Amino acid sequence: MIKIAPSILAADFARLGEEVEEIRRGGADYLHFDVMDGVFVPNISIGLPVLKSLRKATDMFIDAHLMIERPLRYVERFCDQGADLVNVHVEADSEENILAALKAIRAKGRKCGITLKPATPAEAARPFLKLADLVLVMTVEPGFGGQSFMFDMLEKIRLLRVMLDEEHPDCELEVDGGITVETAVPAKAAGANVLVAGSAVFGKADRAAAISAIRNS
Ligand code: DX5
Ligand code: ZN
């Protein structure tokens, strides 16, 4: 079953509650919540207070993608403010501290994930595969919505699918960046089962139609 995770980075922040309700009714599986600190990536987005408000406004599964340096400092607070899954970048700290972050998330009873930037090889995920509930492959440079899908990431998705089938078959494999009705096809064929889509959902007037078109392409 393919899951669709609309990224609210592309939503109208002045009417966030209504935007979220539209994707929930439109059949979205996860709400993808992009957090940027202006250091790990060259942009600043949203953080804990917005998560807290959203948690009160919706019962959707919130998938928090932390594009921040040294995420161990903040993961527990993202759990406390209502994220269902907290995802950290493997490049954001030492292996030891990323492992500690994953364990801290699990200790809070939440799901944990790891993310790989485009230049990071699949093998970099190896130390975390048994612990992670989800592995995210970035198919654009993190920092901005609306960029073009990097087709050369398909091989990495295939490699990770094989690694997960061997080491942790229940682990989800998510792709993020440049997903459209067209690019969803090779991403699914490569083995991804969760597709993040910002512009391709919130850029369309009919969100329900956009979500099903990506799911069924
Ligand atoms: C980029 C973010 C993405 C982004 C995706 O750093 O992690 O989630 O919002 O946007 P689209 O789907 O427009 O590429
Ligand atoms: Zn994201």
Side-chain angles (χ1 to χ4, degrees):
M1 169 68 179
I2 298 295
K3 294 179 182 171
I4 307 296
S7 162
I8 56 163
L9 195 59
D12 177 356
F13 285 114
R15 43 186 297 276
L16 204 45
E18 295 152 57
E19 295 273 70
V20 168
E21 181 56 14
E22 275 189 35
I23 59 155
R24 190 189 66 76
R25 287 193 196 194
D29 299 280
Y30 295 170
L31 170 59
H32 188 80
F33 187 89
D34 283 306
V35 181
M36 303 179 186
D37 67 353
V39 179
F40 184 74
V41 289
N43 199 2
I44 297 175
S45 58
I46 46 176
L48 293 161
V50 178
L51 177 61
K52 185 179 179 186
S53 297
L54 272 182
R55 181 71 294 162
K56 286 188 220 148
T58 185
D59 60 1
M60 279 192 78
F61 183 99
I62 301 179
D63 157 28
H65 174 195
L66 305 192
M67 289 165 271
I68 66 174
E69 284 286 341
R70 293 165 49 223
L72 180 56
R73 298 173 296 158
Y74 287 100
V75 289
E76 288 175 327
R77 277 181 265 179
F78 278 93
C79 294
D80 291 340
Q81 300 301 349
D84 295 287
L85 182 145
V86 179
N87 195 325
V88 298
H89 269 262
V90 300
E91 307 88 357
D93 207 336
S94 64
E95 180 178 323
E96 184 189 4
N97 286 344
I98 295 299
L99 281 170
L102 298 180
K103 286 176 187 156
I105 298 162
R106 294 206 137 211
K108 285 279 183 185
R110 306 302 163 114
K111 292 191 170 178
C112 64
I114 53 155
T115 305
L116 275 55
K117 286 166 106 175
T120 305
E123 204 50 42
R126 182 85 66 186
F128 313 105
L129 289 187
K130 287 215 158 60
L131 206 54
D133 298 291
L134 178 146
V135 173
L136 168 54
V137 176
M138 289 305 301
T139 42
V140 297
E141 282 301 334
F144 300 91
Q147 304 180 74
S148 299
F149 185 83
M150 297 168 72
F151 284 89
D152 50 350
M153 292 299 114
L154 290 169
E155 187 54 28
K156 184 154 76 180
I157 300 168
R158 278 185 216 109
L159 280 171
L160 280 160
R161 186 69 269 164
V162 172
M163 287 161 68
L164 288 173
D165 285 347
E166 286 167 3
E167 294 200 32
H168 190 174
D170 293 340
C171 182
E172 300 205 282
L173 185 53
E174 184 177 52
V175 288
D176 183 6
I179 289 292
T180 62
V181 171
E182 290 77 30
T183 59
V185 177
K188 288 183 244 183
N193 77 301
V194 185
L195 308 182
V196 175
S199 337
V201 170
F202 286 106
K204 300 278 195 291
D206 186 342
R207 277 70 191 267
I211 290 165
S212 4
I214 297 166
R215 198 195 309 277
N216 301 320
S217 65

